[in-house]
Amino acid sequence: MNSRYLAVMSLAIMALGFIITLFLEDTTWVFILQSGFEAGLVGGIADWFAVTALFRHPLGIPIPHTSLLLRNRDKIVRALISALEDELLNKASIENRIRKLKLLQAGGSMLTKLVALRKVRVGAIEELIPIVQQLPLERAAAIAQSGVGAMVERMDFKLLADNLLTKTMEAGYDEKVLDYALGEALQWSQQPTTRAMLGKLANDKLSEVKMGGLMGFAVQAFAGFMDEEKIGGMLQGMLVSGIRNLQDRDSAYRDTIMRELRVRLLQLAEDDERIGKLQQRVLDAIASDKGELFMLARLEELRSLALEKLEEQRQTGAPSLFKLYASIVRSLNRDPERIARWEDKLLAYAIHLVETNHYRIGQLVKDNLEQMDDAALVSMLEDKVGQDLQWIRVNGAICGFIVGIVLSLIQLI
């Protein structure tokens, strides 16, 4: 039963009992009961007045020293804030409590339990997929274009070219390029169409030769003796033989070509003008519309690949997410000193937050109380402590009843 109704009922019982005894025959027992009900009625009314006076004016009459809570609202608020800040939630107690906590260990343990759950991992992937889908790649492409351009502009192309050529030569890539070119040239030179082309070209050039005397006679005789097919076959054989000779790593001609090739490459690396033009061409290509479209296309490819992998992880329960977390944890466990440093930093940061924001506890209480009008404040207090205060009225009526009977017995004695 609601304690307020019980208090009202106790007061009503005392009043009804007192009224009934007024109409009964005047006997000793009636006198005793009447004295008890009278004292209980007085005690109940007095306690009702006292309890009511805490929250409001009894019967709406502005009797002095009533509605104590509202009249002393500011004082009560200050006392409550002071009790919270200085006694219940003071800085020292909060800081001592924080120092006993292993914040990083507790957080890691909680995170481990969460990551071990399949639905948590899948939920994380499902939250990540729309984020990846909605990434503003157009802006990212412009940023990437600007970043790559700035990086290329800061690069020392001369040093880069020198290092690249040096590593190329040390790894023998220049010889591999030459071998590839010779292999392609050999394959081309052995084709019948190549022989025919060489024969026709040589025959045309011989017919254009204008030379007199014995030398001219000899050239014309040679041209008349050799047809296009014979000349083409001879030239093809010479070309094939020359290429095969260059493919031989012990060939002096090959060594000469390789030395000349390397000298030319090193000279190119030292040519500031050409290096500068090359760098500028790269910058122009990056800054062009095609450069931006290229960046956007690459980012789209990365997004498609990321979405494909995320969907695969979602279907399989995101095992890679757990493996990644487990590898990070194992790596950290191998370095306890680092964890201790992080724990100290986290603890120091938490204590700093408490020190700098401790006043907000009282400010929060004050702001919440100031937002409540008098009626709301009284309603809240009555809801929290009013029920227990009603028992004062019940106890007052009962105690008054008992005291009245005791006093009547003493009076009779």
Side-chain angles (χ1 to χ4, degrees), residues 32 35-36 400-413:
I32 293 174
S35 299
F401 179 79
I402 296 173
V403 171
I405 290 178
V406 171
L407 291 178
S408 64
L409 290 176
I410 294 173
Q411 186 177 358
L412 290 174
I413 294 174

Side-chain angles (χ1 to χ4, degrees), residues 155-164 269-272 275 279:
M155 289 174 62
D156 187 347
F157 260 56
K158 185 176 180 180
L159 179 61
L160 179 64
D162 184 66
N163 292 336
L164 181 61
E270 295 297 327
D271 192 336
D272 294 337
I275 293 295
Q279 186 173 15

Side-chain angles (χ1 to χ4, degrees), residues 254-291:
R254 178 186 176 93
D255 291 340
T256 301
I257 292 175
M258 287 303 306
R259 283 197 300 271
E260 184 64 23
L261 177 62
R262 288 170 176 171
V263 168
R264 294 291 182 180
L265 289 174
L266 292 174
Q267 288 177 346
L268 176 63
E270 295 297 327
D271 192 336
D272 294 337
E273 183 178 355
R274 288 188 178 181
I275 293 295
K277 288 181 179 179
L278 175 61
Q279 186 173 15
Q280 188 58 47
R281 287 180 181 177
V282 174
L283 287 172
D284 293 340
I286 293 173
S288 66
D289 293 339
K290 290 183 178 179

